[in-house]
Amino acid sequence: MGSTGDHHVALIAFPFSTHAAPLFSLTTALATAAPSTTFSFINSARSNISLSKAISSVPSGVKIRVYDLSDGCPEGYIMPAHDPEEEVRLFLKVAVVNVRKAIEKAVEGSGGIRVSCIVSDAFIWFAGKMAEEMRVPWVALWTSGTYSLAAHMYTDFLRLKIGENALPSRANEPLDCIPYMSPLQVRELPEGVVFGNLDSVFARLLHRMAEALPSATAVALNTFQGLDPALDNELSKMFKLSLPIGPQHLLTQQPPEPADTYGCIQWLDTHAPATVVYISFGSIMSLSPPEAVEVAEGLEASGIPFIWSMKPAAQAQLPQGFLDRTRGRGMVVSWAPQLQVLGHSAVGAFVTHCGWNSIMESVTAGVPMICRPFIGDQRLNAGVLSRVWKIGVGFEGGVVTRETVEMALTEVLKEEGGRKMKERAGELREMAIRATQSGGSSSDNLDALVEVIRGY
Ligand SMILES: *[C@@H]1O[C@H](CO)[C@@H](O)[C@H](O)[C@H]1NC(C)=O
Protein backbone atom coordinates (compact mmCIF):
# COMPACT_ATOMS: atom_id res chain seq x y z
CA MET A 1 0.00 0.00 0.00
CA GLY A 2 3.03 2.28 0.22
CA SER A 3 2.06 5.70 -0.98
CA THR A 4 4.71 7.06 -3.23
CA GLY A 5 4.06 10.73 -2.71
CA ASP A 6 3.75 11.05 -6.48
CA HIS A 7 0.05 11.65 -6.46
CA HIS A 8 -1.20 15.08 -7.27
CA VAL A 9 -4.90 15.90 -7.09
CA ALA A 10 -6.14 19.05 -8.81
CA LEU A 11 -9.49 20.26 -7.50
CA ILE A 12 -11.48 22.71 -9.59
CA ALA A 13 -14.16 24.84 -7.96
CA PHE A 14 -17.19 26.38 -9.64
CA PRO A 15 -16.34 29.87 -8.44
CA PHE A 16 -19.85 31.25 -7.87
CA SER A 17 -22.57 31.32 -5.25
CA THR A 18 -21.85 28.94 -2.37
CA HIS A 19 -20.31 26.22 -4.55
CA ALA A 20 -16.64 26.46 -3.53
CA ALA A 21 -17.12 25.78 0.20
CA PRO A 22 -18.27 22.14 0.00
CA LEU A 23 -15.47 21.33 -2.47
CA PHE A 24 -12.94 22.93 -0.16
CA SER A 25 -14.23 21.01 2.85
CA LEU A 26 -13.97 17.80 0.82
CA THR A 27 -10.42 18.80 -0.15
CA THR A 28 -9.53 19.22 3.51
CA ALA A 29 -10.96 15.79 4.35
CA LEU A 30 -9.07 14.11 1.49
CA ALA A 31 -5.84 15.92 2.30
CA THR A 32 -6.15 14.88 5.93
CA ALA A 33 -6.63 11.25 4.92
CA ALA A 34 -3.84 11.25 2.31
CA PRO A 35 -1.05 13.38 3.79
CA SER A 36 1.61 12.37 1.26
CA THR A 37 -0.53 13.37 -1.74
CA THR A 38 -0.26 16.86 -3.21
CA PHE A 39 -3.52 18.86 -3.30
CA SER A 40 -3.98 21.89 -5.54
CA PHE A 41 -7.24 23.79 -5.11
CA ILE A 42 -8.11 25.91 -8.14
CA ASN A 43 -10.55 28.76 -7.60
CA SER A 44 -11.10 32.38 -8.63
CA ALA A 45 -9.68 35.12 -6.42
CA ARG A 46 -13.17 36.46 -5.67
CA SER A 47 -14.52 33.09 -4.64
CA ASN A 48 -11.31 32.37 -2.70
CA ILE A 49 -12.07 35.34 -0.45
CA SER A 50 -15.25 33.60 0.74
CA LEU A 51 -13.12 30.65 1.87
CA SER A 52 -10.66 32.61 3.95
CA LYS A 53 -11.97 31.19 7.25
CA ALA A 54 -11.95 27.63 5.93
CA ILE A 55 -8.46 28.07 4.51
CA SER A 56 -7.06 29.50 7.72
CA SER A 57 -8.56 26.70 9.81
CA VAL A 58 -7.05 23.83 7.83
CA PRO A 59 -5.31 21.68 10.49
CA SER A 60 -1.56 22.17 10.60
CA GLY A 61 0.26 19.45 8.73
CA VAL A 62 -2.46 19.31 6.06
CA LYS A 63 -1.12 20.94 2.93
CA ILE A 64 -3.43 22.41 0.34
CA ARG A 65 -2.14 24.97 -2.13
CA VAL A 66 -4.64 27.40 -3.62
CA TYR A 67 -4.18 28.47 -7.26
CA ASP A 68 -5.85 31.32 -9.00
CA LEU A 69 -8.42 30.65 -11.69
CA SER A 70 -9.35 33.64 -13.83
CA ASP A 71 -13.07 34.38 -13.60
CA GLY A 72 -12.95 35.53 -17.22
CA CYS A 73 -14.03 39.04 -16.38
CA PRO A 74 -12.11 41.41 -18.69
CA GLU A 75 -10.16 44.07 -16.84
CA GLY A 76 -12.19 47.19 -16.22
CA TYR A 77 -15.44 45.48 -17.17
CA ILE A 78 -18.25 46.48 -14.84
CA MET A 79 -20.33 43.40 -14.08
CA PRO A 80 -24.04 44.23 -14.21
CA ALA A 81 -25.52 43.89 -10.74
CA HIS A 82 -27.92 40.97 -10.18
CA ASP A 83 -27.04 39.09 -13.34
CA PRO A 84 -25.65 35.70 -12.33
CA GLU A 85 -25.99 34.57 -15.96
CA GLU A 86 -23.54 37.19 -17.19
CA GLU A 87 -20.74 36.37 -14.77
CA VAL A 88 -21.07 32.65 -15.44
CA ARG A 89 -21.22 33.26 -19.21
CA LEU A 90 -17.96 35.26 -19.07
CA PHE A 91 -16.31 32.61 -16.93
CA LEU A 92 -17.32 29.68 -19.12
CA LYS A 93 -16.26 31.38 -22.36
CA VAL A 94 -12.61 31.07 -21.40
CA ALA A 95 -12.79 28.49 -18.63
CA VAL A 96 -11.21 25.57 -20.51
CA VAL A 97 -8.09 27.57 -21.34
CA ASN A 98 -7.93 29.09 -17.87
CA VAL A 99 -8.32 25.79 -16.05
CA ARG A 100 -5.52 24.34 -18.18
CA LYS A 101 -3.30 27.28 -17.28
CA ALA A 102 -4.09 26.87 -13.59
CA ILE A 103 -3.27 23.16 -13.77
CA GLU A 104 0.10 23.98 -15.36
CA LYS A 105 0.78 26.43 -12.54
CA ALA A 106 -0.15 23.78 -10.00
CA VAL A 107 2.26 21.30 -11.58
CA GLU A 108 5.01 23.93 -11.48
CA GLY A 109 4.12 24.86 -7.91
CA SER A 110 4.38 21.22 -6.81
CA GLY A 111 7.89 20.91 -8.16
CA GLY A 112 6.75 19.14 -11.32
CA ILE A 113 4.46 16.41 -10.00
CA ARG A 114 2.05 15.67 -12.81
CA VAL A 115 -1.65 15.70 -12.00
CA SER A 116 -2.86 12.16 -11.32
CA CYS A 117 -6.52 12.89 -10.58
CA ILE A 118 -8.99 15.71 -11.22
CA VAL A 119 -11.75 16.41 -8.72
CA SER A 120 -14.22 19.11 -9.70
CA ASP A 121 -17.56 20.59 -8.93
CA ALA A 122 -20.01 18.72 -11.18
CA PHE A 123 -20.81 22.07 -12.85
CA ILE A 124 -17.27 21.99 -14.31
CA TRP A 125 -18.42 19.29 -16.72
CA PHE A 126 -15.47 19.80 -19.10
CA ALA A 127 -13.09 18.54 -16.41
CA GLY A 128 -14.16 15.06 -17.56
CA LYS A 129 -12.74 15.66 -21.03
CA MET A 130 -9.52 17.06 -19.58
CA ALA A 131 -9.10 14.06 -17.30
CA GLU A 132 -9.70 11.75 -20.25
CA GLU A 133 -7.00 13.49 -22.29
CA MET A 134 -4.63 13.27 -19.35
CA ARG A 135 -5.67 9.62 -18.75
CA VAL A 136 -6.45 10.26 -15.10
CA PRO A 137 -9.61 9.68 -13.06
CA TRP A 138 -12.27 12.37 -12.80
CA VAL A 139 -14.30 12.71 -9.63
CA ALA A 140 -17.29 15.08 -9.71
CA LEU A 141 -18.90 16.56 -6.60
CA TRP A 142 -22.64 17.32 -6.87
CA THR A 143 -23.41 19.76 -4.07
CA SER A 144 -27.19 19.77 -4.22
CA GLY A 145 -29.95 17.20 -3.72
CA THR A 146 -30.34 13.89 -5.50
CA TYR A 147 -33.83 14.62 -6.87
CA SER A 148 -32.60 17.68 -8.74
CA LEU A 149 -29.61 15.69 -9.98
CA ALA A 150 -31.99 13.02 -11.30
CA ALA A 151 -34.09 15.74 -12.96
CA HIS A 152 -31.01 16.98 -14.81
CA MET A 153 -29.92 13.46 -15.73
CA TYR A 154 -33.42 12.87 -17.16
CA THR A 155 -33.71 16.20 -18.99
CA ASP A 156 -33.98 14.68 -22.49
CA PHE A 157 -36.56 12.16 -21.33
CA LEU A 158 -38.59 14.81 -19.49
CA ARG A 159 -38.57 17.10 -22.54
CA LEU A 160 -39.83 14.22 -24.63
CA LYS A 161 -42.62 13.36 -22.19
CA ILE A 162 -43.64 16.80 -20.97
CA GLY A 163 -42.48 19.12 -23.75
CA GLU A 164 -40.33 22.20 -23.66
CA ASN A 165 -42.94 24.75 -22.74
CA ALA A 166 -44.78 23.06 -19.91
CA LEU A 167 -45.96 26.15 -18.05
CA PRO A 168 -48.62 27.01 -17.25
CA SER A 169 -50.60 24.20 -18.91
CA ARG A 170 -48.94 21.24 -17.18
CA ALA A 171 -47.73 23.00 -14.02
CA ASN A 172 -49.58 20.87 -11.49
CA GLU A 173 -49.21 17.48 -13.15
CA PRO A 174 -47.32 14.86 -11.19
CA LEU A 175 -43.88 13.87 -12.50
CA ASP A 176 -45.08 10.29 -12.77
CA CYS A 177 -43.17 9.51 -15.95
CA ILE A 178 -40.38 8.74 -13.47
CA PRO A 179 -42.08 6.54 -10.85
CA TYR A 180 -40.23 7.70 -7.73
CA MET A 181 -40.81 11.33 -8.73
CA SER A 182 -44.59 10.99 -8.78
CA PRO A 183 -45.09 12.91 -5.49
CA LEU A 184 -43.44 15.91 -7.22
CA GLN A 185 -44.94 18.26 -9.78
CA VAL A 186 -43.89 19.64 -13.15
CA ARG A 187 -43.79 23.24 -11.86
CA GLU A 188 -41.29 22.20 -9.18
CA LEU A 189 -38.58 21.26 -11.69
CA PRO A 190 -35.61 23.61 -12.00
CA GLU A 191 -35.96 26.24 -14.74
CA GLY A 192 -34.48 25.19 -18.06
CA VAL A 193 -35.58 21.54 -17.93
CA VAL A 194 -39.10 21.66 -19.39
CA PHE A 195 -39.92 25.37 -19.03
CA GLY A 196 -38.17 28.69 -18.81
CA ASN A 197 -35.21 29.43 -21.06
CA LEU A 198 -33.91 26.04 -22.19
CA ASP A 199 -31.02 27.78 -23.84
CA SER A 200 -29.81 29.78 -20.83
CA VAL A 201 -26.20 29.49 -19.69
CA PHE A 202 -27.26 27.36 -16.72
CA ALA A 203 -29.63 25.14 -18.69
CA ARG A 204 -26.90 24.36 -21.22
CA LEU A 205 -24.31 23.84 -18.51
CA LEU A 206 -26.51 21.36 -16.64
CA HIS A 207 -27.43 19.54 -19.83
CA ARG A 208 -23.78 19.02 -20.72
CA MET A 209 -23.04 18.01 -17.16
CA ALA A 210 -25.71 15.31 -17.43
CA GLU A 211 -24.02 14.00 -20.58
CA ALA A 212 -20.61 14.00 -18.91
CA LEU A 213 -21.31 12.50 -15.47
CA PRO A 214 -21.82 8.87 -16.53
CA SER A 215 -18.19 8.80 -17.68
CA ALA A 216 -16.85 10.10 -14.34
CA THR A 217 -14.80 7.64 -12.31
CA ALA A 218 -16.93 8.59 -9.31
CA VAL A 219 -19.68 11.05 -8.43
CA ALA A 220 -19.63 12.24 -4.83
CA LEU A 221 -22.92 13.44 -3.33
CA ASN A 222 -23.79 15.50 -0.28
CA THR A 223 -26.43 13.09 0.96
CA PHE A 224 -26.50 9.79 2.82
CA GLN A 225 -27.58 6.30 1.97
CA GLY A 226 -31.14 5.57 3.03
CA LEU A 227 -32.40 9.14 2.86
CA ASP A 228 -33.85 8.45 -0.60
CA PRO A 229 -33.67 4.68 -1.11
CA ALA A 230 -35.15 4.79 -4.64
CA LEU A 231 -32.44 7.20 -5.70
CA ASP A 232 -29.57 5.31 -4.08
CA ASN A 233 -30.40 2.53 -6.45
CA GLU A 234 -30.96 4.67 -9.49
CA LEU A 235 -27.78 6.72 -9.11
CA SER A 236 -25.63 3.69 -8.56
CA LYS A 237 -26.88 2.39 -11.92
CA MET A 238 -26.47 5.75 -13.62
CA PHE A 239 -22.88 6.35 -12.53
CA LYS A 240 -19.79 4.18 -12.50
CA LEU A 241 -19.43 4.83 -8.79
CA SER A 242 -21.98 6.82 -6.80
CA LEU A 243 -20.61 7.90 -3.42
CA PRO A 244 -22.95 9.61 -0.94
CA ILE A 245 -20.63 11.30 1.56
CA GLY A 246 -23.08 13.47 3.44
CA PRO A 247 -24.15 15.28 5.40
CA GLN A 248 -20.82 16.77 4.47
CA HIS A 249 -20.78 19.22 7.36
CA LEU A 250 -20.83 16.25 9.76
CA LEU A 251 -18.24 14.20 7.94
CA THR A 252 -15.70 16.88 7.20
CA GLN A 253 -14.23 19.49 9.45
CA GLN A 254 -15.98 22.85 9.30
CA PRO A 255 -14.42 26.24 9.98
CA PRO A 256 -15.63 27.56 13.34
CA GLU A 257 -18.76 29.72 13.05
CA PRO A 258 -18.08 33.39 13.85
CA ALA A 259 -18.94 34.50 17.39
CA ASP A 260 -22.62 34.67 18.31
CA THR A 261 -22.56 38.48 18.46
CA TYR A 262 -26.28 38.86 19.02
CA GLY A 263 -26.51 36.29 21.81
CA CYS A 264 -28.91 33.97 19.96
CA ILE A 265 -27.85 30.89 21.90
CA GLN A 266 -28.14 32.52 25.29
CA TRP A 267 -31.60 33.73 24.34
CA LEU A 268 -32.60 30.25 23.13
CA ASP A 269 -31.44 28.83 26.46
CA THR A 270 -34.38 30.63 28.11
CA HIS A 271 -36.95 28.80 25.93
CA ALA A 272 -38.67 25.42 26.24
CA PRO A 273 -37.87 22.67 23.71
CA ALA A 274 -39.25 23.06 20.17
CA THR A 275 -41.04 26.35 20.78
CA VAL A 276 -39.00 28.80 18.67
CA VAL A 277 -38.99 29.34 14.91
CA TYR A 278 -35.76 30.24 13.11
CA ILE A 279 -36.10 32.17 9.86
CA SER A 280 -33.34 32.59 7.29
CA PHE A 281 -33.24 32.56 3.50
CA GLY A 282 -29.49 32.11 3.21
CA SER A 283 -26.82 34.51 2.10
CA ILE A 284 -28.20 35.17 -1.38
CA MET A 285 -32.01 35.06 -1.35
CA SER A 286 -34.30 37.55 0.35
CA LEU A 287 -38.02 38.16 0.55
CA SER A 288 -39.58 41.01 -1.37
CA PRO A 289 -40.43 43.89 0.98
CA PRO A 290 -44.21 43.21 0.83
CA GLU A 291 -43.59 39.53 1.65
CA ALA A 292 -41.36 40.45 4.57
CA VAL A 293 -44.23 42.55 5.93
CA GLU A 294 -46.60 39.56 5.64
CA VAL A 295 -44.13 37.33 7.47
CA ALA A 296 -43.72 39.93 10.21
CA GLU A 297 -47.49 40.25 10.67
CA GLY A 298 -47.97 36.48 10.65
CA LEU A 299 -45.25 36.09 13.27
CA GLU A 300 -46.83 38.74 15.43
CA ALA A 301 -50.28 37.18 15.14
CA SER A 302 -48.97 33.69 15.96
CA GLY A 303 -47.39 34.73 19.24
CA ILE A 304 -44.56 32.27 18.51
CA PRO A 305 -41.01 33.24 19.63
CA PHE A 306 -38.58 33.71 16.73
CA ILE A 307 -35.06 34.39 15.54
CA TRP A 308 -35.12 36.07 12.15
CA SER A 309 -31.81 36.50 10.37
CA MET A 310 -31.96 39.22 7.73
CA LYS A 311 -29.71 41.82 6.16
CA PRO A 312 -29.79 45.30 7.73
CA ALA A 313 -31.21 46.85 4.54
CA ALA A 314 -34.16 44.44 4.71
CA GLN A 315 -34.68 45.12 8.42
CA ALA A 316 -35.41 48.74 7.57
CA GLN A 317 -38.47 47.61 5.63
CA LEU A 318 -40.19 45.80 8.47
CA PRO A 319 -43.58 47.19 9.53
CA GLN A 320 -43.43 50.24 11.75
CA GLY A 321 -43.29 49.33 15.42
CA PHE A 322 -42.75 45.60 14.72
CA LEU A 323 -39.43 45.44 16.53
CA ASP A 324 -40.84 47.24 19.58
CA ARG A 325 -43.99 45.15 19.74
CA THR A 326 -42.07 41.88 19.53
CA ARG A 327 -39.16 42.87 21.76
CA GLY A 328 -38.41 40.08 24.19
CA ARG A 329 -40.46 37.60 22.18
CA GLY A 330 -38.34 37.65 19.07
CA MET A 331 -34.94 38.64 17.74
CA VAL A 332 -34.15 40.17 14.37
CA VAL A 333 -30.43 39.78 13.71
CA SER A 334 -28.10 40.46 10.77
CA TRP A 335 -26.45 37.10 11.23
CA ALA A 336 -26.98 33.95 13.29
CA PRO A 337 -24.73 30.92 13.89
CA GLN A 338 -27.06 28.66 11.92
CA LEU A 339 -25.62 25.28 12.89
CA GLN A 340 -25.74 26.11 16.58
CA VAL A 341 -29.19 27.67 16.34
CA LEU A 342 -30.67 24.66 14.50
CA GLY A 343 -28.90 22.36 16.93
CA HIS A 344 -30.48 24.07 19.95
CA SER A 345 -33.34 22.12 21.49
CA ALA A 346 -35.53 25.25 21.70
CA VAL A 347 -35.77 25.51 17.90
CA GLY A 348 -38.79 23.65 16.57
CA ALA A 349 -39.09 24.94 12.99
CA PHE A 350 -36.94 26.50 10.28
CA VAL A 351 -38.42 28.83 7.65
CA THR A 352 -36.02 28.34 4.75
CA HIS A 353 -35.40 29.00 1.04
CA CYS A 354 -34.68 25.24 0.75
CA GLY A 355 -31.09 25.54 -0.40
CA TRP A 356 -29.50 22.12 -0.09
CA ASN A 357 -26.90 23.03 2.54
CA SER A 358 -29.59 24.51 4.80
CA ILE A 359 -31.72 21.40 4.35
CA MET A 360 -28.85 19.07 5.29
CA GLU A 361 -28.17 21.20 8.37
CA SER A 362 -31.82 21.12 9.43
CA VAL A 363 -32.14 17.37 8.83
CA THR A 364 -29.06 16.78 10.93
CA ALA A 365 -30.59 18.84 13.71
CA GLY A 366 -33.95 17.05 13.43
CA VAL A 367 -35.79 20.31 12.78
CA PRO A 368 -38.90 20.38 10.49
CA MET A 369 -38.98 23.06 7.80
CA ILE A 370 -41.40 25.62 6.41
CA CYS A 371 -40.56 26.18 2.76
CA ARG A 372 -40.32 29.38 0.76
CA PRO A 373 -38.30 28.26 -2.31
CA PHE A 374 -37.08 30.82 -4.86
CA ILE A 375 -35.14 29.43 -7.82
CA GLY A 376 -33.23 26.50 -9.30
CA ASP A 377 -33.51 23.28 -7.32
CA GLN A 378 -35.25 24.94 -4.34
CA ARG A 379 -38.85 24.19 -5.43
CA LEU A 380 -38.02 20.54 -5.99
CA ASN A 381 -36.30 20.37 -2.60
CA ALA A 382 -39.40 21.90 -1.01
CA GLY A 383 -41.60 19.27 -2.68
CA VAL A 384 -39.34 16.50 -1.38
CA LEU A 385 -39.50 17.92 2.16
CA SER A 386 -43.28 18.11 2.23
CA ARG A 387 -44.37 15.11 0.18
CA VAL A 388 -41.52 12.58 0.22
CA TRP A 389 -39.74 12.92 3.56
CA LYS A 390 -42.80 14.60 5.14
CA ILE A 391 -40.75 16.84 7.40
CA GLY A 392 -41.87 20.15 5.96
CA VAL A 393 -44.79 22.25 4.78
CA GLY A 394 -45.21 25.02 2.26
CA PHE A 395 -47.37 28.11 2.66
CA GLU A 396 -50.98 27.39 1.77
CA GLY A 397 -51.47 27.93 -1.97
CA GLY A 398 -47.78 28.77 -2.31
CA VAL A 399 -48.33 32.36 -1.25
CA VAL A 400 -46.85 34.14 1.74
CA THR A 401 -49.55 36.13 3.53
CA ARG A 402 -50.07 36.97 7.16
CA GLU A 403 -52.69 34.19 7.35
CA THR A 404 -50.65 31.48 5.61
CA VAL A 405 -47.63 32.34 7.76
CA GLU A 406 -49.64 32.05 10.95
CA MET A 407 -51.17 28.76 9.75
CA ALA A 408 -47.84 27.17 8.82
CA LEU A 409 -46.17 28.21 12.07
CA THR A 410 -49.06 26.94 14.15
CA GLU A 411 -49.19 23.62 12.29
CA VAL A 412 -45.50 22.88 12.71
CA LEU A 413 -44.99 24.21 16.24
CA LYS A 414 -48.30 23.57 17.97
CA GLU A 415 -50.25 20.80 16.27
CA GLU A 416 -50.21 17.03 15.89
CA GLY A 417 -49.00 17.24 12.26
CA GLY A 418 -45.94 19.13 13.41
CA ARG A 419 -45.27 16.63 16.16
CA LYS A 420 -45.21 13.84 13.55
CA MET A 421 -42.86 15.84 11.36
CA LYS A 422 -40.54 16.35 14.28
CA GLU A 423 -40.57 12.62 14.96
CA ARG A 424 -39.65 11.78 11.37
CA ALA A 425 -37.01 14.50 11.30
CA GLY A 426 -35.57 12.91 14.43
CA GLU A 427 -35.33 9.54 12.65
CA LEU A 428 -33.53 11.12 9.68
CA ARG A 429 -31.20 12.85 12.10
CA GLU A 430 -30.25 9.49 13.62
CA MET A 431 -29.64 8.04 10.16
CA ALA A 432 -27.46 11.00 9.18
CA ILE A 433 -25.35 10.69 12.30
CA ARG A 434 -24.93 6.92 11.91
CA ALA A 435 -23.90 7.33 8.24
CA THR A 436 -21.07 9.68 9.13
CA GLN A 437 -19.74 7.73 12.10
CA SER A 438 -16.89 5.29 11.71
CA GLY A 439 -18.23 2.25 9.87
CA GLY A 440 -21.21 4.22 8.52
CA SER A 441 -21.96 4.39 4.80
CA SER A 442 -20.81 7.98 4.21
CA SER A 443 -17.66 7.42 6.20
CA ASP A 444 -16.91 4.25 4.20
CA ASN A 445 -17.64 6.10 0.95
CA LEU A 446 -15.18 8.81 1.89
CA ASP A 447 -12.57 6.09 2.40
CA ALA A 448 -13.46 4.72 -1.04
CA LEU A 449 -12.99 8.18 -2.50
CA VAL A 450 -9.55 8.43 -0.93
CA GLU A 451 -8.65 5.19 -2.69
CA VAL A 452 -9.88 6.58 -6.01
CA ILE A 453 -7.78 9.72 -5.74
CA ARG A 454 -4.73 7.72 -4.75
CA GLY A 455 -5.16 5.54 -7.79
CA TYR A 456 -6.03 2.25 -6.12
C1 LIG B 1 -6.80 32.54 -1.03
O1 LIG B 1 -7.17 32.93 0.26
C2 LIG B 1 -6.23 32.63 1.28
C3 LIG B 1 -6.85 32.89 2.62
O2 LIG B 1 -7.51 34.13 2.68
C4 LIG B 1 -4.96 33.41 1.02
O3 LIG B 1 -4.01 33.10 2.02
C5 LIG B 1 -4.44 33.02 -0.35
O4 LIG B 1 -3.32 33.80 -0.67
C6 LIG B 1 -5.49 33.16 -1.43
N1 LIG B 1 -4.94 32.54 -2.61
C7 LIG B 1 -5.15 32.98 -3.84
C8 LIG B 1 -4.46 32.26 -4.94
O5 LIG B 1 -5.86 33.92 -4.09
Side-chain angles (χ1 to χ4, degrees), residues 41 43-45 48-49 51-53 55-56 66-69:
F41 190 81
N43 191 17
S44 75
N48 181 49
I49 291 169
L51 298 178
S52 60
K53 256 202 198 73
I55 291 175
S56 61
V66 180
Y67 292 92
D68 229 345
L69 172 60

Side-chain angles (χ1 to χ4, degrees), residues 132-155:
E132 199 182 302
E133 285 164 17
M134 296 160 72
R135 297 173 183 278
V136 301
W138 172 42
V139 175
L141 173 67
W142 174 255
T143 58
S144 184
T146 43
Y147 276 88
S148 61
L149 177 56
H152 294 302
M153 296 305 294
Y154 272 112
T155 290

Side-chain angles (χ1 to χ4, degrees), residues 18-260:
T18 51
H19 272 257
L23 187 68
F24 191 80
S25 91
L26 177 61
T27 308
T28 309
L30 296 173
T32 306
S36 59
T37 296
T38 300
F39 289 86
S40 299
F41 190 81
I42 295 171
N43 191 17
S44 75
R46 199 149 57 103
S47 171
N48 181 49
I49 291 169
S50 72
L51 298 178
S52 60
K53 256 202 198 73
I55 291 175
S56 61
S57 57
V58 168
S60 62
V62 173
K63 277 190 232 76
I64 301 166
R65 282 223 177 88
V66 180
Y67 292 92
D68 229 345
L69 172 60
S70 163
D71 59 13
C73 184
E75 212 169 312
Y77 178 81
I78 311 283
M79 197 73 77
H82 311 300
D83 187 1
E85 286 258 318
E86 175 69 358
E87 55 181 17
V88 173
R89 183 181 303 118
L90 287 171
F91 167 70
L92 288 176
K93 231 182 190 167
V94 283
V96 173
V97 173
N98 285 332
V99 168
R100 270 191 225 285
K101 275 190 201 153
I103 289 181
E104 278 166 26
K105 282 240 173 69
V107 171
E108 249 169 61
S110 72
I113 308 176
R114 74 174 196 101
V115 167
S116 57
C117 178
I118 296 180
V119 179
S120 78
D121 191 294
F123 278 29
I124 307 285
W125 56 270
F126 53 86
K129 282 217 172 71
M130 286 184 181
E132 199 182 302
E133 285 164 17
M134 296 160 72
R135 297 173 183 278
V136 301
W138 172 42
V139 175
L141 173 67
W142 174 255
T143 58
S144 184
T146 43
Y147 276 88
S148 61
L149 177 56
H152 294 302
M153 296 305 294
Y154 272 112
T155 290
D156 290 329
F157 178 75
L158 289 167
R159 287 179 184 171
L160 201 71
K161 291 282 177 187
I162 305 172
E164 302 194 345
N165 194 7
L167 293 191
S169 56
R170 311 190 63 171
N172 297 323
E173 287 180 23
L175 280 169
D176 52 8
C177 57
I178 301 169
Y180 58 80
M181 289 228 195
S182 51
L184 304 166
Q185 295 173 356
V186 169
R187 65 176 175 81
E188 289 174 322
L189 286 169
E191 305 84 356
V193 177
V194 295
F195 57 79
N197 181 1
L198 272 47
D199 213 28
S200 74
V201 171
F202 285 109
R204 277 184 286 141
L205 182 158
L206 288 158
H207 202 203
R208 302 193 80 162
M209 176 197 77
E211 285 167 2
L213 286 181
S215 68
T217 310
V219 178
L221 304 159
N222 184 14
T223 183
F224 51 95
Q225 216 180 328
L227 181 60
D228 291 305
L231 278 146
D232 289 341
N233 218 336
E234 169 89 335
L235 296 174
S236 61
K237 279 187 264 171
M238 225 173 236
F239 304 132
K240 288 185 186 160
L241 184 59
S242 164
L243 294 175
I245 52 164
Q248 245 190 287
H249 70 279
L250 285 189
L251 194 61
T252 61
Q253 198 212 312
Q254 298 300 303
E257 288 190 296
D260 179 17

